[in-house]
């Protein structure tokens, strides 16, 4: 009874009620806060305490327990209660009930928001996981598609190369008009197929991110002129005027990717010629905003063709847009070119736009920011010279004789062998044809070779492995012979890998005779130029001409000496050793002279000769190295 | 005869919806989180015997250890509920069930602790197979409070097991 009084005084102003009940939950007495709380005095909670069912059975005398947040609903309202129960005896309990409805409603709102946020967070995380999986699957599919395209391209390009090559040769065999017309169809269809292959490969490379924009020194006037020259024959075929102009205010020393810029210009020019039936196609490169470090070059290709309908101008840079055009069937093409052009321009940080009035031609504008290299006083003159030289080189490349030029061709396809043979033999080149990388290496040690043309895929030893061995295992100068690699896939990463291995240049199949001859001419000239540029041997007593001749000739002498050694051709070996002695004596290189004298005069074993030749090769290499100081 | 049963599980798995469907045959899309415990009653007849169920719908909690031990006092059976559409509600289920057993004094492996996979309406057949194969323990009943699928059956089965035990 004392407890009752104490509790009553404590709870008088609070929503608390104290109930006594027995183990079955029947209420024995009640008093307290229900008078001031929202509880009704006759609430059924005090008639039967369901929430105590089972609970009371587990309690021992004197034990207390707390039940929080018990929901209770009667006919009038619902409550959330905190209940504190004390066991007085097996059949007597005191229950302190506190109405916490308001508090729990606040907690509930916060909790609900937290739970909803939690569920949302988990759903978001799961969606992210699913998106990641989908992204990975899409990337994997894209990779597979790119690889598939590369493989198919290789398989198609190799025979296409032979087909187009032989078709070109047929041009010069005196065909009648009908045959010539059929041959023209082969050229056109083959060219279209080749173009489509290139476009598909470019697109797949862009999608897979396997292309990069280079920043190398370029001469823009050259890029413009070369692109225009490549399109001139197509313009001539349609009796169109093709004009091109480079603004002389454009700085001469720029950094850019000449290959990509050419690709953009060629694509726009080809399109312009395709959609123009009469009149002029004009290519311009004008100088835009100029700063000490950069210049905005404004390229424009303007034609007098049929123009582009207004409604199609906004979609013209989308993929396959050309298939939507009415005359696409007539003119061919699937509309990948301009999509590629836009991607390239944007990748170089530029913008492209088109304006056209149907029936009045079209104008494509490309604004390209290019970095400037430091200017020199001679830039303008140099620029003009370079442009002039480029023209001369181009003519020289086609007209150049390859007489006495020794070319090793490593190619297992009989068709491609014949194609190369028919291009190079009439120019007087000495050809040595092998069918594997291994045979190419053996050939280098048995034949005088000035240049190697190497296919990548060959039996026994692939081209890439052969290049690696040549560059790492052979002696100077054999290991420095220029190598041009034919590649069918032409993917940038593969080209880069081949160049890293030591190839000097890659040529994608199919290639035209002109492209091949230009490449050969470049390496033929380059080797001479490089030698002339070496100024290591300058001396007061020896004339510059003599030095130039020495630098030019001594690697060849050395090569011939090695070949004679490997072929065990005694007479030739002694002859070349003697010949080199004279050169060394004239140049006052007496150490080398002594070594050569031993080779000529002493009865040495093969291994001894090899050792001396090795010493000689290393010495000459060091002598010709631009890094070497002083004169031996 | 009167028996106390508990529904426990993560928040938002549909415990209150199952009780509401079972007791009042109602369902609401609106989510209301439960604070504390809501006690409802339902009388069922099992093999001719009347059973008054006191159903304790306990507030959901990520950590099952957070459920006050006093709630479990005197309970005869438990329905552990998880949401088929939320993997986090069945992750580590074996450990969670062990905690429930520890608090409720129901022996581990007892058939009076039933595992219910709820919200089958959010799961197609393939997904359902996948989820059931991923869950660490044997699922006793697949339910949907929304469609009423197996709701009565779950409570009845637990009642039968309680009476049999």
């Amino acid at each position: 009874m004392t407890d009752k009084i104490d509790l009553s005084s404590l709870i008088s102003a609070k929503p608390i009620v104290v109930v006594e009940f027995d183990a079955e939950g029947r209420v024995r007495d009640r008093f307290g806060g229900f008078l001031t709380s929202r509880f009704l005095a006759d609430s059924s909670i005090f008639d039967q305490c369901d929430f105590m069912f089972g609970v009371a059975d587990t309690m021992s005398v004197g034990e207390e327990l707390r039940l929080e947040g018990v929901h209770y609903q009667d006919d009038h309202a619902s409550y959330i209660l905190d209940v504190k129960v004390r066991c007085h005896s097996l059949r007597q309990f005191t229950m302190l009930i506190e109405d916490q409805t308001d508090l729990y409603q606040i907690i509930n709102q916060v909790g609900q928001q937290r739970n909803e946020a939690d569920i949302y967070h988990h759903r978001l995380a799961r969606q992210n996981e699913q998106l990641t999986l989908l992204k990975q699957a899409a990337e994997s599919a894209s990779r597979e598609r790119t690889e598939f395209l590369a493989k198919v391209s290789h398989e198609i390009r190799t025979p296409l190369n032979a087909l187009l090559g032989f078709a070109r040769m047929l041009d010069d065999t005196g065909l009648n008009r009908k045959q010539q017309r059929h041959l023209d169809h082969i050229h056109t269809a083959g060219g279209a197929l080749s173009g489509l292959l290139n476009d598909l490969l470019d697109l797949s490379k862009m999608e897979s991110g396997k292309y990069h924009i280079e920043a190398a020194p370029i001469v823009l006037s050259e890029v413009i002129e070369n692109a225009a020259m490549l399109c001139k024959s197509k313009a001539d075929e349609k009796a169109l005027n093709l004009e091109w102009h480079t603004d002389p205010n454009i700085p001469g020393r720029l950094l850019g990717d000449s290959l990509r810029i050419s690709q953009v210009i060629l694509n726009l020019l080809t399109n312009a010629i395709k959609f123009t039936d009469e009149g002029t196609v004009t290519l311009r490169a004008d100088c835009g905003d100029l700063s000490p470090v950069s210049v905005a070059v404004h390229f424009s290709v303007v034609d007098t063709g049929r123009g582009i309908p207004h409604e199609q101008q906004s979609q013209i840079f989308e993929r396959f847009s050309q298939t939507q055009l009415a005359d696409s069937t007539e003119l061919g093409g699937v509309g990948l070119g301009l999509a590629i052009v836009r991607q390239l321009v944007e990748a170089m940080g530029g913008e492209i736009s088109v304006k056209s009035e149907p029936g009045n031609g079209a104008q494509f504008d490309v604004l390209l920011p290019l970095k400037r290299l430091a200017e020199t006083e001679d830039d303008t003159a140099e620029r003009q010279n370079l442009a002039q030289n480029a023209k001369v080189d181009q003519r020289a490349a086609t007209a150049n004789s390859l007489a006495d030029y020794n070319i090793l061709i490593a190619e297992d396809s009989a068709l491609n062998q014949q194609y190369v043979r028919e291009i190079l033999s009439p120019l007087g080149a000495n050809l040595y044809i092998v069918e594997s990388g291994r045979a190419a290496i053996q050939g280098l040690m048995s034949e005088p070779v000035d240049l190697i043309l190497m296919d990548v895929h060959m039996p026994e030893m692939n081209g890439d492995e052969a290049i690696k061995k040549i560059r790492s295992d052979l002696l100077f100068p054999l290991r420095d012979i220029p190598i041009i690699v034919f590649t069918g896939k032409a993917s940038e990463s593969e080209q880069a890998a081949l160049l890293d291995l030591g190839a000097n240049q890659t040529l994608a199949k199919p290639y035209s005779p002109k492209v091949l001859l230009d490449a050969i001419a470049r390496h033929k000239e380059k080797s001479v130029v490089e030698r002339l540029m070496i100024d290591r041997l300058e001396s007061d007593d020896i004339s510059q001409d003599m030095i130039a001749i020495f630098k030019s000739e001594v690697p060849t002498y050395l090569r011939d000496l090695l070949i004679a050694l490997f072929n065990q051709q005694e007479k030739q070996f002694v002859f070349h050793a003697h010949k080199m002695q004279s050169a060394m004596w004239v140049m006052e290189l007496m150490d080398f002279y002594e070594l050569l004298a031993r080779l000529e005069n002493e009865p040495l074993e093969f291994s001894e000769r090899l050792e001396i030749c090795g010493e000689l090769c290393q010495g000459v290499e060091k002598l010709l190295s631009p890094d070497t100081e002083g004169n031996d | 005869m009167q028996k106390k049963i508990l529904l426990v599980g993560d928040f938002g798995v549909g415990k209150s919806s199952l009780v509401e469907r079972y007791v009042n045959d109602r369902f609401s899309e609106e989510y209301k989180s439960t604070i504390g415990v809501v006690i409802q009653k339902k009388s069922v007849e099992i093999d001719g015997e009347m059973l008054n169920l006191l159903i304790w719908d306990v507030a959901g909690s990520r950590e099952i250890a957070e459920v006050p031990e006093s709630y479990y006092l005197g309970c005869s059976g438990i329905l552990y509920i998880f949401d088929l559409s939320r993997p986090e509600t069945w992750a580590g289920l074996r450990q969670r069930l062990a905690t429930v057993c520890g608090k409720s004094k129901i022996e581990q492996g007892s058939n009076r602790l039933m595992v219910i996979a709820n919200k089958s309406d959010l799961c197609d057949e393939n997904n359902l197979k996948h989820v059931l194969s991923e869950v660490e323990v044997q699922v006793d009943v697949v339910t949907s409070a929304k469609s009423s699928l197996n709701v009565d059956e779950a409570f009845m089965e637990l009642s039968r097991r309680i009476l049999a035990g």
Side-chain angles (χ1 to χ4, degrees):
Chain A
M1 206 38 114
T2 309
D3 285 351
K4 287 182 184 176
I5 295 165
D6 289 342
L7 281 168
S8 179
S9 64
L10 281 171
I11 64 178
S12 59
K14 294 182 181 177
I16 292 176
V17 64
V18 177
V19 180
E20 281 186 13
F21 61 99
D22 61 21
E24 281 74 41
R26 284 190 297 270
V27 175
R28 291 162 60 92
D29 196 3
R30 60 191 177 204
F31 62 95
F34 59 88
L35 296 173
T36 56
S37 79
R38 290 178 299 146
F39 286 124
L40 299 173
D42 58 350
S43 172
S44 59
I45 187 173
F46 309 116
D47 298 332
Q48 185 70 39
C49 297
D50 290 331
F51 51 86
M52 282 305 294
F53 174 79
V55 176
D57 295 341
T58 64
M59 295 181 72
S60 50
V61 176
E63 186 182 349
E64 280 189 2
L65 69 82
R66 192 173 168 83
L67 290 169
E68 291 177 337
V70 177
H71 291 240
Y72 175 79
Q73 186 162 9
D74 61 17
D75 295 337
H76 306 282
S78 62
Y79 310 98
I80 305 175
L81 314 172
D82 280 352
V83 181
K84 189 176 175 183
V85 183
R86 182 184 170 89
C87 179
H88 294 283
S89 70
L90 288 178
R91 288 188 170 273
Q92 194 173 38
F93 299 84
T94 307
M95 187 165 57
L96 185 69
I97 300 173
E98 194 171 0
D99 179 8
Q100 300 282 27
T101 307
D102 293 341
L103 175 66
Y104 276 119
Q105 277 174 348
I106 294 169
I107 295 172
N108 201 14
Q109 282 175 359
V110 175
Q112 180 152 342
Q113 285 169 359
R114 192 192 61 192
N115 290 349
E116 283 171 350
D118 209 351
I119 290 172
Y120 177 73
H121 168 78
H122 275 93
R123 287 207 173 126
L124 205 61
R126 209 160 55 251
Q127 280 172 353
N128 277 344
E129 280 171 21
Q130 286 165 349
L131 282 173
T132 305
L133 288 175
L134 284 173
K135 182 169 172 277
Q136 285 170 347
E139 285 172 349
S140 170
S142 175
R143 268 197 306 277
E144 283 170 14
R145 188 177 58 174
T146 304
E147 284 167 14
F148 175 75
L149 271 176
K151 281 178 187 162
V152 169
S153 142
H154 180 247
E155 295 304 321
I156 297 175
R157 275 187 181 214
T158 304
L160 184 64
N161 180 32
L163 276 173
L164 290 176
F166 282 113
R168 283 186 199 102
M169 287 171 194
L170 276 177
D171 272 334
D172 303 325
T173 56
L175 302 175
N176 64 35
R177 190 174 296 174
K178 190 176 177 183
Q179 288 170 328
Q180 187 63 50
R181 199 166 59 245
H182 291 166
L183 189 60
D184 290 345
H185 289 321
I186 293 175
H187 280 312
T188 307
L193 192 55
S194 180
L196 178 61
L197 273 175
N198 287 335
D199 282 353
L200 284 171
L201 266 176
D202 280 340
L203 202 65
S204 67
K205 275 186 282 186
M206 286 171 182
E207 280 185 348
S208 61
K210 286 181 181 170
Y211 80 112
H212 65 279
I213 303 297
E214 287 186 354
I218 58 169
V219 178
L220 205 57
S221 57
E222 253 188 77
V223 176
I224 294 284
E225 173 142 353
N226 287 342
M229 289 303 292
L230 279 171
C231 293
K232 185 141 187 11
S233 59
K234 282 182 188 167
D236 290 344
E237 282 169 17
K238 294 182 76 174
L240 299 173
N241 293 323
L242 177 60
E243 296 173 356
W244 63 94
H245 173 74
T246 306
D247 187 343
N249 293 319
I250 296 175
R253 299 166 67 83
L254 295 173
L255 272 181
D257 190 328
S258 59
L259 180 70
R260 300 303 183 190
I261 296 172
S262 297
Q263 201 175 346
V264 168
I265 295 171
L266 279 172
N267 215 305
L268 294 178
L269 278 180
T270 309
N271 258 2
I273 292 168
K274 185 160 86 173
F275 289 100
T276 303
D277 298 323
E278 57 181 335
T280 304
V281 172
T282 309
L283 164 65
R284 292 186 63 87
D286 289 307
C287 186
D289 292 343
L290 190 63
S291 82
V293 290
S294 68
V295 59
V297 179
H298 175 204
F299 298 90
S300 60
V301 174
V302 185
D303 66 57
T304 54
R306 60 193 71 175
I308 305 158
H310 291 295
E311 66 275 13
Q312 286 169 358
Q313 289 178 24
S314 59
Q315 295 147 19
I316 201 155
F317 298 110
E318 303 297 327
R319 289 173 197 172
F320 306 108
S321 58
Q322 199 175 311
T323 53
Q324 312 298 320
L325 300 179
D327 47 10
S328 62
T329 311
E330 175 201 337
L331 295 166
V334 293
L336 284 175
L338 286 175
I340 292 168
V341 163
R342 182 175 68 173
Q343 282 197 266
L344 286 174
V345 169
E346 288 176 354
M348 289 188 280
E351 296 168 8
I352 185 166
S353 59
V354 61
K355 47 192 173 193
S356 173
E357 280 299 323
N360 285 321
Q363 175 169 340
F364 284 85
D365 294 294
V366 174
L367 197 62
L368 212 56
L370 294 171
K371 286 186 180 159
R372 295 176 65 180
L373 286 172
E375 290 279 349
T376 70
E377 289 177 3
D378 298 331
D379 266 354
T380 310
E382 184 186 334
R383 197 158 62 240
Q384 286 166 349
N385 284 340
L386 279 168
Q388 190 63 35
N389 288 343
K391 288 179 193 169
V392 173
D393 284 349
Q394 207 167 28
R395 285 187 212 107
T398 47
N400 221 358
S401 165
L402 293 175
D404 298 328
Y405 197 56
N406 305 302
I407 301 176
L408 173 71
I409 301 162
E411 165 68 79
D412 62 319
S413 158
L415 274 176
N416 288 334
Q417 286 174 8
Q418 181 61 18
Y419 177 55
V420 176
R421 188 184 286 122
E422 295 202 15
I423 295 169
L424 301 180
S425 290
L427 296 170
N430 298 321
L431 304 182
Y432 180 62
I433 299 177
V434 296
E435 295 187 352
S436 77
R438 194 182 306 284
I441 295 171
Q442 287 164 353
L444 273 183
M445 297 195 296
S446 60
E447 298 290 331
V449 174
D450 296 304
L451 176 78
I452 303 165
L453 301 176
M454 180 92 77
D455 191 25
V456 175
H457 300 288
M458 287 184 290
E460 283 188 55
M461 184 188 287
N462 273 336
D464 47 0
E465 195 182 342
I467 294 168
K468 196 175 167 186
K469 282 190 176 299
I470 290 168
R471 295 301 187 227
S472 62
D473 295 353
L474 298 191
L475 289 168
F476 170 85
L478 298 183
R479 68 160 181 244
D480 288 343
I481 291 171
I483 303 174
I484 297 172
V485 188
F486 299 136
T487 167
K489 288 184 182 176
S491 84
E492 277 193 10
S493 58
E494 282 179 338
Q495 286 186 44
L498 289 166
L499 294 174
D500 282 347
L501 283 175
N504 297 77
Q505 188 180 349
T506 57
L507 277 188
K509 294 175 184 176
Y511 49 84
S512 66
K514 182 179 179 306
V515 168
L516 178 63
L517 289 173
D518 281 352
I520 292 172
R522 193 176 312 141
H523 290 285
K524 192 168 172 242
E525 291 303 311
K526 192 178 173 186
S527 60
V528 174
V529 171
E530 276 179 353
R531 288 168 194 163
L532 287 172
M533 284 172 66
I534 302 168
D535 56 4
R536 250 297 286 112
L537 294 172
E538 285 179 2
S539 160
D540 293 340
D541 302 322
I542 300 171
S543 75
Q544 291 302 308
D545 287 347
M546 284 173 64
I547 293 169
I549 292 167
F550 176 81
K551 290 174 183 173
S552 166
E553 296 299 324
V554 77
T556 309
Y557 292 168
L558 210 45
R559 179 199 66 192
D560 293 343
L561 182 74
L562 289 171
I563 289 167
L565 172 69
F566 293 137
N567 288 344
Q568 300 189 332
Q569 296 164 315
E570 185 63 22
K571 277 188 182 175
Q572 279 94 331
F573 182 79
V574 171
F575 169 77
H576 289 302
H578 180 79
K579 193 174 166 185
M580 275 190 83
Q581 272 182 70
S582 307
M584 298 299 178
W585 181 77
V586 169
M587 300 301 290
E588 300 174 7
L589 297 167
M590 300 314 289
D591 289 348
F592 296 152
Y593 175 83
E594 295 298 336
L595 288 175
L596 286 160
R598 283 188 66 198
L599 288 176
E600 183 189 1
N601 302 316
E602 293 183 17
L604 301 171
E605 295 293 323
F606 176 83
S607 60
E608 292 170 312
R609 283 181 167 178
L610 186 62
E611 191 178 335
I612 293 173
C613 282
E615 194 179 334
L616 200 60
C617 288
Q618 285 174 4
V620 172
E621 184 186 17
K622 194 176 170 192
L623 182 70
L624 296 180
S625 162
D627 300 329
T628 308
E629 296 293 333
N631 187 349
D632 291 354
Chain B
M1 187 186 296
Q2 190 155 257
K3 293 289 177 188
K4 171 181 173 181
I5 63 172
L6 253 68
L7 275 78
V8 292
D10 216 331
F11 60 82
V13 297
K15 298 181 292 297
S16 300
S17 294
L18 283 170
V19 175
E20 188 66 12
R21 172 63 80 188
Y22 179 56
V23 175
N24 301 315
D25 197 21
R26 286 196 300 245
F27 177 80
S28 168
E29 293 280 1
E30 189 185 355
Y31 168 60
K32 278 187 185 170
S33 67
T34 306
I35 289 290
V37 57
V38 178
I39 303 165
Q40 300 222 41
K41 290 188 221 174
K42 173 100 175 178
S43 296
V44 292
E45 187 182 333
I46 306 281
D47 300 331
E49 189 171 351
M50 284 307 292
L51 181 65
N52 296 318
L53 287 177
L54 283 172
I55 305 165
W56 284 48
D57 172 16
V58 176
S61 172
R62 167 60 40 77
E63 295 302 325
I64 202 70
E66 288 176 8
V67 176
E69 203 163 332
S70 57
Y71 286 1
Y72 292 96
L73 290 172
C75 84
S76 302
I78 293 173
L79 296 177
Y80 188 97
I81 322 292
F82 72 83
D83 178 350
L84 282 163
S85 70
R86 286 164 56 208
E88 69 271 18
T89 65
W90 74 72
L93 192 52
R94 194 186 302 278
Q95 181 57 44
R96 292 187 192 200
L97 293 179
T99 305
V100 169
C101 287
K103 288 191 167 193
S104 65
K105 315 293 190 232
I106 290 178
E107 286 176 17
Q108 283 201 41
S110 164
N111 66 0
R112 288 184 294 121
L113 170 54
M114 286 175 59
V115 177
I116 308 295
N118 191 34
K119 301 195 187 180
S120 66
D121 50 283
L122 297 179
C123 205
D124 64 28
E125 202 168 327
N126 286 337
N127 262 335
L128 179 64
K129 280 182 187 168
H130 175 67
V131 172
L132 294 182
S133 70
E134 280 204 337
V135 174
E136 291 175 352
V137 299
Q138 177 69 40
V139 172
D140 292 292
V141 185
V142 174
T143 60
S144 166
K146 185 174 182 178
S147 72
S148 295
L149 178 73
N150 291 337
V151 177
D152 285 0
E153 286 78 355
F155 283 94
M156 290 296 280
E157 178 60 24
L158 182 62
S159 302
R160 260 189 222 102
R161 291 182 184 185
I162 289 169
L163 286 178

